[in-house]
PDB file of all heavy atoms in Angstrom:
ATOM      1  N   LEU A 243     -41.200  54.265 130.051  1.00 98.00           N
ATOM      2  CA  LEU A 243     -41.890  54.221 131.348  1.00 98.00           C
ATOM      3  C   LEU A 243     -43.224  53.488 131.247  1.00 98.00           C
ATOM      4  O   LEU A 243     -43.626  52.776 132.168  1.00 98.00           O
ATOM      5  CB  LEU A 243     -42.091  55.652 131.860  1.00 98.00           C
ATOM      6  CG  LEU A 243     -42.722  55.810 133.234  1.00 98.00           C
ATOM      7  CD1 LEU A 243     -41.894  55.119 134.309  1.00 98.00           C
ATOM      8  CD2 LEU A 243     -42.872  57.306 133.566  1.00 98.00           C
ATOM      9  N   TRP A 244     -43.901  53.661 130.102  1.00 98.00           N
ATOM     10  CA  TRP A 244     -45.203  53.009 129.947  1.00 98.00           C
ATOM     11  C   TRP A 244     -45.067  51.479 130.027  1.00 98.00           C
ATOM     12  O   TRP A 244     -45.893  50.788 130.636  1.00 98.00           O
ATOM     13  CB  TRP A 244     -45.874  53.440 128.633  1.00 98.00           C
ATOM     14  CG  TRP A 244     -47.191  52.756 128.444  1.00 98.00           C
ATOM     15  CD1 TRP A 244     -47.536  51.884 127.457  1.00 98.00           C
ATOM     16  CD2 TRP A 244     -48.338  52.852 129.304  1.00 98.00           C
ATOM     17  NE1 TRP A 244     -48.818  51.426 127.646  1.00 98.00           N
ATOM     18  CE2 TRP A 244     -49.332  52.004 128.774  1.00 98.00           C
ATOM     19  CE3 TRP A 244     -48.611  53.562 130.476  1.00 98.00           C
ATOM     20  CZ2 TRP A 244     -50.587  51.846 129.368  1.00 98.00           C
ATOM     21  CZ3 TRP A 244     -49.863  53.405 131.081  1.00 98.00           C
ATOM     22  CH2 TRP A 244     -50.823  52.562 130.523  1.00 98.00           C
ATOM     23  N   ALA A 245     -43.990  50.961 129.432  1.00 98.00           N
ATOM     24  CA  ALA A 245     -43.753  49.510 129.499  1.00 98.00           C
ATOM     25  C   ALA A 245     -43.626  49.062 130.956  1.00 98.00           C
ATOM     26  O   ALA A 245     -44.077  47.977 131.334  1.00 98.00           O
ATOM     27  CB  ALA A 245     -42.493  49.149 128.712  1.00 98.00           C
ATOM     28  N   GLN A 246     -43.019  49.909 131.779  1.00 98.00           N
ATOM     29  CA  GLN A 246     -42.831  49.570 133.193  1.00 98.00           C
ATOM     30  C   GLN A 246     -44.141  49.678 133.968  1.00 98.00           C
ATOM     31  O   GLN A 246     -44.435  48.844 134.827  1.00 98.00           O
ATOM     32  CB  GLN A 246     -41.789  50.516 133.801  1.00 98.00           C
ATOM     33  CG  GLN A 246     -40.415  50.382 133.170  1.00 98.00           C
ATOM     34  CD  GLN A 246     -39.486  49.503 133.974  1.00 98.00           C
ATOM     35  OE1 GLN A 246     -39.521  49.516 135.198  1.00 98.00           O
ATOM     36  NE2 GLN A 246     -38.677  48.724 133.285  1.00 98.00           N
ATOM     37  N   MET A 247     -44.923  50.708 133.661  1.00 98.00           N
ATOM     38  CA  MET A 247     -46.186  50.893 134.390  1.00 98.00           C
ATOM     39  C   MET A 247     -47.122  49.719 134.158  1.00 98.00           C
ATOM     40  O   MET A 247     -47.813  49.273 135.074  1.00 98.00           O
ATOM     41  CB  MET A 247     -46.843  52.208 133.982  1.00 98.00           C
ATOM     42  CG  MET A 247     -46.157  53.392 134.632  1.00 98.00           C
ATOM     43  SD  MET A 247     -46.933  54.937 134.173  1.00 98.00           S
ATOM     44  CE  MET A 247     -46.049  56.048 135.284  1.00 98.00           C
ATOM     45  N   GLU A 248     -47.125  49.225 132.930  1.00 98.00           N
ATOM     46  CA  GLU A 248     -47.978  48.060 132.626  1.00 98.00           C
ATOM     47  C   GLU A 248     -47.637  46.875 133.525  1.00 98.00           C
ATOM     48  O   GLU A 248     -48.485  46.027 133.777  1.00 98.00           O
ATOM     49  CB  GLU A 248     -47.777  47.647 131.166  1.00 98.00           C
ATOM     50  CG  GLU A 248     -48.531  48.501 130.190  1.00 98.00           C
ATOM     51  CD  GLU A 248     -48.512  47.873 128.788  1.00 98.00           C
ATOM     52  OE1 GLU A 248     -47.511  47.207 128.437  1.00 98.00           O
ATOM     53  OE2 GLU A 248     -49.486  48.046 128.049  1.00 98.00           O
ATOM     54  N   GLU A 249     -46.383  46.791 133.956  1.00 98.00           N
ATOM     55  CA  GLU A 249     -45.926  45.649 134.757  1.00 98.00           C
ATOM     56  C   GLU A 249     -45.786  45.994 136.240  1.00 98.00           C
ATOM     57  O   GLU A 249     -45.191  45.229 137.004  1.00 98.00           O
ATOM     58  CB  GLU A 249     -44.552  45.182 134.243  1.00 98.00           C
ATOM     59  CG  GLU A 249     -44.567  44.629 132.836  1.00 98.00           C
ATOM     60  CD  GLU A 249     -45.222  43.255 132.771  1.00 98.00           C
ATOM     61  OE1 GLU A 249     -44.978  42.436 133.671  1.00 98.00           O
ATOM     62  OE2 GLU A 249     -45.993  43.023 131.823  1.00 98.00           O
ATOM     63  N   ALA A 250     -46.289  47.151 136.639  1.00 98.00           N
ATOM     64  CA  ALA A 250     -46.016  47.644 138.000  1.00 98.00           C
ATOM     65  C   ALA A 250     -46.455  46.663 139.089  1.00 98.00           C
ATOM     66  O   ALA A 250     -45.743  46.464 140.075  1.00 98.00           O
ATOM     67  CB  ALA A 250     -46.682  49.002 138.210  1.00 98.00           C
ATOM     68  N   ASP A 251     -47.599  46.008 138.901  1.00 98.00           N
ATOM     69  CA  ASP A 251     -48.075  45.075 139.931  1.00 98.00           C
ATOM     70  C   ASP A 251     -47.151  43.860 140.036  1.00 98.00           C
ATOM     71  O   ASP A 251     -46.799  43.429 141.134  1.00 98.00           O
ATOM     72  CB  ASP A 251     -49.511  44.623 139.627  1.00 98.00           C
ATOM     73  CG  ASP A 251     -50.508  45.764 139.819  1.00 98.00           C
ATOM     74  OD1 ASP A 251     -50.566  46.295 140.944  1.00 98.00           O
ATOM     75  OD2 ASP A 251     -51.195  46.126 138.852  1.00 98.00           O
ATOM     76  N   ALA A 252     -46.768  43.321 138.872  1.00 98.00           N
ATOM     77  CA  ALA A 252     -45.900  42.138 138.870  1.00 98.00           C
ATOM     78  C   ALA A 252     -44.515  42.476 139.437  1.00 98.00           C
ATOM     79  O   ALA A 252     -43.939  41.693 140.204  1.00 98.00           O
ATOM     80  CB  ALA A 252     -45.775  41.594 137.450  1.00 98.00           C
ATOM     81  N   ILE A 253     -43.992  43.644 139.078  1.00 98.00           N
ATOM     82  CA  ILE A 253     -42.678  44.071 139.591  1.00 98.00           C
ATOM     83  C   ILE A 253     -42.742  44.175 141.115  1.00 98.00           C
ATOM     84  O   ILE A 253     -41.873  43.673 141.830  1.00 98.00           O
ATOM     85  CB  ILE A 253     -42.257  45.420 138.956  1.00 98.00           C
ATOM     86  CG1 ILE A 253     -41.932  45.237 137.469  1.00 98.00           C
ATOM     87  CG2 ILE A 253     -41.074  46.041 139.715  1.00 98.00           C
ATOM     88  CD1 ILE A 253     -41.718  46.530 136.699  1.00 98.00           C
ATOM     89  N   THR A 254     -43.788  44.814 141.611  1.00 98.00           N
ATOM     90  CA  THR A 254     -43.914  45.008 143.062  1.00 98.00           C
ATOM     91  C   THR A 254     -44.025  43.664 143.775  1.00 98.00           C
ATOM     92  O   THR A 254     -43.405  43.439 144.811  1.00 98.00           O
ATOM     93  CB  THR A 254     -45.138  45.888 143.376  1.00 98.00           C
ATOM     94  OG1 THR A 254     -45.044  47.090 142.608  1.00 98.00           O
ATOM     95  CG2 THR A 254     -45.207  46.246 144.855  1.00 98.00           C
ATOM     96  N   LYS A 255     -44.790  42.758 143.189  1.00 98.00           N
ATOM     97  CA  LYS A 255     -44.963  41.455 143.827  1.00 98.00           C
ATOM     98  C   LYS A 255     -43.629  40.714 143.935  1.00 98.00           C
ATOM     99  O   LYS A 255     -43.301  40.153 144.989  1.00 98.00           O
ATOM    100  CB  LYS A 255     -45.970  40.620 143.042  1.00 98.00           C
ATOM    101  CG  LYS A 255     -46.316  39.368 143.801  1.00 98.00           C
ATOM    102  CD  LYS A 255     -47.184  38.381 143.081  1.00 98.00           C
ATOM    103  CE  LYS A 255     -47.286  37.096 143.904  1.00 98.00           C
ATOM    104  NZ  LYS A 255     -45.981  36.503 144.249  1.00 98.00           N
ATOM    105  N   ARG A 256     -42.868  40.737 142.866  1.00 98.00           N
ATOM    106  CA  ARG A 256     -41.571  40.028 142.905  1.00 98.00           C
ATOM    107  C   ARG A 256     -40.625  40.677 143.905  1.00 98.00           C
ATOM    108  O   ARG A 256     -39.872  39.996 144.602  1.00 98.00           O
ATOM    109  CB  ARG A 256     -40.934  39.994 141.508  1.00 98.00           C
ATOM    110  CG  ARG A 256     -41.561  38.918 140.620  1.00 98.00           C
ATOM    111  CD  ARG A 256     -40.929  38.861 139.249  1.00 98.00           C
ATOM    112  NE  ARG A 256     -39.542  38.407 139.257  1.00 98.00           N
ATOM    113  CZ  ARG A 256     -38.772  38.381 138.162  1.00 98.00           C
ATOM    114  NH1 ARG A 256     -39.252  38.788 136.994  1.00 98.00           N
ATOM    115  NH2 ARG A 256     -37.524  37.965 138.240  1.00 98.00           N
ATOM    116  N   ARG A 257     -40.639  41.994 143.974  1.00 98.00           N
ATOM    117  CA  ARG A 257     -39.781  42.680 144.966  1.00 98.00           C
ATOM    118  C   ARG A 257     -40.200  42.292 146.382  1.00 98.00           C
ATOM    119  O   ARG A 257     -39.358  42.051 147.246  1.00 98.00           O
ATOM    120  CB  ARG A 257     -39.853  44.202 144.797  1.00 98.00           C
ATOM    121  CG  ARG A 257     -39.249  44.721 143.501  1.00 98.00           C
ATOM    122  CD  ARG A 257     -39.199  46.245 143.489  1.00 98.00           C
ATOM    123  NE  ARG A 257     -38.157  46.759 144.355  1.00 98.00           N
ATOM    124  CZ  ARG A 257     -36.934  47.108 143.961  1.00 98.00           C
ATOM    125  NH1 ARG A 257     -36.606  47.015 142.692  1.00 98.00           N
ATOM    126  NH2 ARG A 257     -36.062  47.566 144.824  1.00 98.00           N
ATOM    127  N   LEU A 258     -41.520  42.238 146.602  1.00 98.00           N
ATOM    128  CA  LEU A 258     -42.018  41.897 147.941  1.00 98.00           C
ATOM    129  C   LEU A 258     -41.607  40.483 148.338  1.00 98.00           C
ATOM    130  O   LEU A 258     -41.320  40.218 149.508  1.00 98.00           O
ATOM    131  CB  LEU A 258     -43.544  42.046 147.993  1.00 98.00           C
ATOM    132  CG  LEU A 258     -44.050  43.489 148.119  1.00 98.00           C
ATOM    133  CD1 LEU A 258     -45.544  43.563 147.807  1.00 98.00           C
ATOM    134  CD2 LEU A 258     -43.773  44.067 149.504  1.00 98.00           C
ATOM    135  N   ASP A 259     -41.565  39.580 147.362  1.00 98.00           N
ATOM    136  CA  ASP A 259     -41.137  38.207 147.665  1.00 98.00           C
ATOM    137  C   ASP A 259     -39.679  38.182 148.128  1.00 98.00           C
ATOM    138  O   ASP A 259     -39.336  37.492 149.093  1.00 98.00           O
ATOM    139  CB  ASP A 259     -41.297  37.315 146.426  1.00 98.00           C
ATOM    140  CG  ASP A 259     -42.759  36.940 146.188  1.00 98.00           C
ATOM    141  OD1 ASP A 259     -43.583  37.144 147.105  1.00 98.00           O
ATOM    142  OD2 ASP A 259     -43.074  36.454 145.093  1.00 98.00           O
ATOM    143  N   ILE A 260     -38.818  38.925 147.435  1.00 98.00           N
ATOM    144  CA  ILE A 260     -37.400  38.965 147.817  1.00 98.00           C
ATOM    145  C   ILE A 260     -37.263  39.590 149.204  1.00 98.00           C
ATOM    146  O   ILE A 260     -36.579  39.061 150.087  1.00 98.00           O
ATOM    147  CB  ILE A 260     -36.583  39.761 146.759  1.00 98.00           C
ATOM    148  CG1 ILE A 260     -36.643  39.055 145.406  1.00 98.00           C
ATOM    149  CG2 ILE A 260     -35.132  39.945 147.234  1.00 98.00           C
ATOM    150  CD1 ILE A 260     -36.113  39.878 144.244  1.00 98.00           C
ATOM    151  N   TRP A 261     -37.947  40.701 149.386  1.00 98.00           N
ATOM    152  CA  TRP A 261     -37.926  41.418 150.671  1.00 98.00           C
ATOM    153  C   TRP A 261     -38.360  40.475 151.796  1.00 98.00           C
ATOM    154  O   TRP A 261     -37.723  40.367 152.843  1.00 98.00           O
ATOM    155  CB  TRP A 261     -38.855  42.627 150.563  1.00 98.00           C
ATOM    156  CG  TRP A 261     -38.723  43.676 151.616  1.00 98.00           C
ATOM    157  CD1 TRP A 261     -38.086  44.881 151.475  1.00 98.00           C
ATOM    158  CD2 TRP A 261     -39.263  43.660 152.945  1.00 98.00           C
ATOM    159  NE1 TRP A 261     -38.193  45.598 152.637  1.00 98.00           N
ATOM    160  CE2 TRP A 261     -38.896  44.875 153.555  1.00 98.00           C
ATOM    161  CE3 TRP A 261     -40.005  42.746 153.674  1.00 98.00           C
ATOM    162  CZ2 TRP A 261     -39.261  45.202 154.862  1.00 98.00           C
ATOM    163  CZ3 TRP A 261     -40.364  43.066 154.990  1.00 98.00           C
ATOM    164  CH2 TRP A 261     -39.987  44.281 155.573  1.00 98.00           C
ATOM    165  N   GLY A 262     -39.460  39.763 151.534  1.00 98.00           N
ATOM    166  CA  GLY A 262     -40.016  38.863 152.545  1.00 98.00           C
ATOM    167  C   GLY A 262     -39.066  37.727 152.894  1.00 98.00           C
ATOM    168  O   GLY A 262     -38.983  37.299 154.059  1.00 98.00           O
ATOM    169  N   THR A 263     -38.334  37.238 151.899  1.00 98.00           N
ATOM    170  CA  THR A 263     -37.370  36.159 152.147  1.00 98.00           C
ATOM    171  C   THR A 263     -36.241  36.664 153.053  1.00 98.00           C
ATOM    172  O   THR A 263     -35.879  36.017 154.042  1.00 98.00           O
ATOM    173  CB  THR A 263     -36.804  35.629 150.810  1.00 98.00           C
ATOM    174  OG1 THR A 263     -37.896  35.255 149.985  1.00 98.00           O
ATOM    175  CG2 THR A 263     -35.902  34.419 151.043  1.00 98.00           C
ATOM    176  N   TYR A 264     -35.696  37.825 152.726  1.00 98.00           N
ATOM    177  CA  TYR A 264     -34.672  38.432 153.603  1.00 98.00           C
ATOM    178  C   TYR A 264     -35.221  38.540 155.033  1.00 98.00           C
ATOM    179  O   TYR A 264     -34.572  38.154 155.997  1.00 98.00           O
ATOM    180  CB  TYR A 264     -34.354  39.860 153.147  1.00 98.00           C
ATOM    181  CG  TYR A 264     -33.286  40.043 152.086  1.00 98.00           C
ATOM    182  CD1 TYR A 264     -33.440  41.020 151.088  1.00 98.00           C
ATOM    183  CD2 TYR A 264     -32.103  39.322 152.099  1.00 98.00           C
ATOM    184  CE1 TYR A 264     -32.465  41.248 150.131  1.00 98.00           C
ATOM    185  CE2 TYR A 264     -31.115  39.538 151.135  1.00 98.00           C
ATOM    186  CZ  TYR A 264     -31.305  40.504 150.157  1.00 98.00           C
ATOM    187  OH  TYR A 264     -30.334  40.738 149.221  1.00 98.00           O
ATOM    188  N   HIS A 265     -36.413  39.087 155.107  1.00 98.00           N
ATOM    189  CA  HIS A 265     -36.969  39.438 156.406  1.00 98.00           C
ATOM    190  C   HIS A 265     -37.152  38.193 157.291  1.00 98.00           C
ATOM    191  O   HIS A 265     -36.852  38.213 158.481  1.00 98.00           O
ATOM    192  CB  HIS A 265     -38.313  40.149 156.207  1.00 98.00           C
ATOM    193  CG  HIS A 265     -38.692  41.055 157.321  1.00 98.00           C
ATOM    194  ND1 HIS A 265     -37.908  42.120 157.721  1.00 98.00           N
ATOM    195  CD2 HIS A 265     -39.776  41.055 158.150  1.00 98.00           C
ATOM    196  CE1 HIS A 265     -38.496  42.731 158.737  1.00 98.00           C
ATOM    197  NE2 HIS A 265     -39.622  42.104 159.027  1.00 98.00           N
ATOM    198  N   GLN A 266     -37.618  37.140 156.664  1.00 98.00           N
ATOM    199  CA  GLN A 266     -37.835  35.892 157.395  1.00 98.00           C
ATOM    200  C   GLN A 266     -36.516  35.300 157.895  1.00 98.00           C
ATOM    201  O   GLN A 266     -36.395  34.916 159.061  1.00 98.00           O
ATOM    202  CB  GLN A 266     -38.482  34.915 156.426  1.00 98.00           C
ATOM    203  CG  GLN A 266     -39.446  33.978 157.076  1.00 98.00           C
ATOM    204  CD  GLN A 266     -40.198  33.180 156.019  1.00 98.00           C
ATOM    205  OE1 GLN A 266     -39.996  33.331 154.811  1.00 98.00           O
ATOM    206  NE2 GLN A 266     -41.075  32.331 156.478  1.00 98.00           N
ATOM    207  N   TRP A 267     -35.528  35.262 157.019  1.00 98.00           N
ATOM    208  CA  TRP A 267     -34.240  34.670 157.391  1.00 98.00           C
ATOM    209  C   TRP A 267     -33.516  35.464 158.470  1.00 98.00           C
ATOM    210  O   TRP A 267     -32.743  34.900 159.251  1.00 98.00           O
ATOM    211  CB  TRP A 267     -33.348  34.520 156.155  1.00 98.00           C
ATOM    212  CG  TRP A 267     -33.686  33.286 155.389  1.00 98.00           C
ATOM    213  CD1 TRP A 267     -34.504  33.201 154.296  1.00 98.00           C
ATOM    214  CD2 TRP A 267     -33.264  31.950 155.672  1.00 98.00           C
ATOM    215  NE1 TRP A 267     -34.610  31.907 153.880  1.00 98.00           N
ATOM    216  CE2 TRP A 267     -33.854  31.109 154.700  1.00 98.00           C
ATOM    217  CE3 TRP A 267     -32.445  31.379 156.645  1.00 98.00           C
ATOM    218  CZ2 TRP A 267     -33.648  29.736 154.676  1.00 98.00           C
ATOM    219  CZ3 TRP A 267     -32.232  30.008 156.621  1.00 98.00           C
ATOM    220  CH2 TRP A 267     -32.839  29.195 155.647  1.00 98.00           C
ATOM    221  N   PHE A 268     -33.734  36.770 158.490  1.00 98.00           N
ATOM    222  CA  PHE A 268     -32.971  37.590 159.447  1.00 98.00           C
ATOM    223  C   PHE A 268     -33.646  37.728 160.807  1.00 98.00           C
ATOM    224  O   PHE A 268     -33.098  38.339 161.713  1.00 98.00           O
ATOM    225  CB  PHE A 268     -32.682  38.977 158.855  1.00 98.00           C
ATOM    226  CG  PHE A 268     -31.859  38.924 157.585  1.00 98.00           C
ATOM    227  CD1 PHE A 268     -31.922  39.946 156.650  1.00 98.00           C
ATOM    228  CD2 PHE A 268     -31.021  37.842 157.325  1.00 98.00           C
ATOM    229  CE1 PHE A 268     -31.180  39.890 155.477  1.00 98.00           C
ATOM    230  CE2 PHE A 268     -30.273  37.769 156.157  1.00 98.00           C
ATOM    231  CZ  PHE A 268     -30.356  38.797 155.231  1.00 98.00           C
ATOM    232  N   ALA A 269     -34.819  37.108 160.953  1.00 98.00           N
ATOM    233  CA  ALA A 269     -35.526  37.203 162.237  1.00 98.00           C
ATOM    234  C   ALA A 269     -34.670  36.647 163.374  1.00 98.00           C
ATOM    235  O   ALA A 269     -34.590  37.238 164.456  1.00 98.00           O
ATOM    236  CB  ALA A 269     -36.857  36.459 162.157  1.00 98.00           C
ATOM    237  N   SER A 270     -34.002  35.541 163.105  1.00 97.00           N
ATOM    238  CA  SER A 270     -33.202  34.924 164.174  1.00 97.00           C
ATOM    239  C   SER A 270     -31.990  35.793 164.522  1.00 97.00           C
ATOM    240  O   SER A 270     -31.579  35.848 165.679  1.00 97.00           O
ATOM    241  CB  SER A 270     -32.759  33.523 163.762  1.00 97.00           C
ATOM    242  OG  SER A 270     -31.996  33.598 162.578  1.00 97.00           O
ATOM    243  N   LEU A 271     -31.438  36.472 163.508  1.00 97.00           N
ATOM    244  CA  LEU A 271     -30.288  37.354 163.778  1.00 97.00           C
ATOM    245  C   LEU A 271     -30.725  38.539 164.633  1.00 97.00           C
ATOM    246  O   LEU A 271     -29.985  39.017 165.487  1.00 97.00           O
ATOM    247  CB  LEU A 271     -29.681  37.863 162.466  1.00 97.00           C
ATOM    248  CG  LEU A 271     -29.109  36.798 161.529  1.00 97.00           C
ATOM    249  CD1 LEU A 271     -28.583  37.450 160.252  1.00 97.00           C
ATOM    250  CD2 LEU A 271     -27.993  36.018 162.200  1.00 97.00           C
TER     251      LEU A 271
END
Side-chain angles (χ1 to χ4, degrees):
L243 183 59
W244 179 244
Q246 297 262 324
M247 283 181 172
E248 281 191 328
E249 295 287 319
D251 290 301
I253 291 171
T254 307
K255 189 186 172 305
R256 281 181 67 185
R257 293 187 74 96
L258 282 166
D259 284 346
I260 297 169
W261 195 102
T263 306
Y264 273 142
H265 205 59
Q266 213 172 0
W267 278 97
F268 299 155
S270 59
L271 298 178

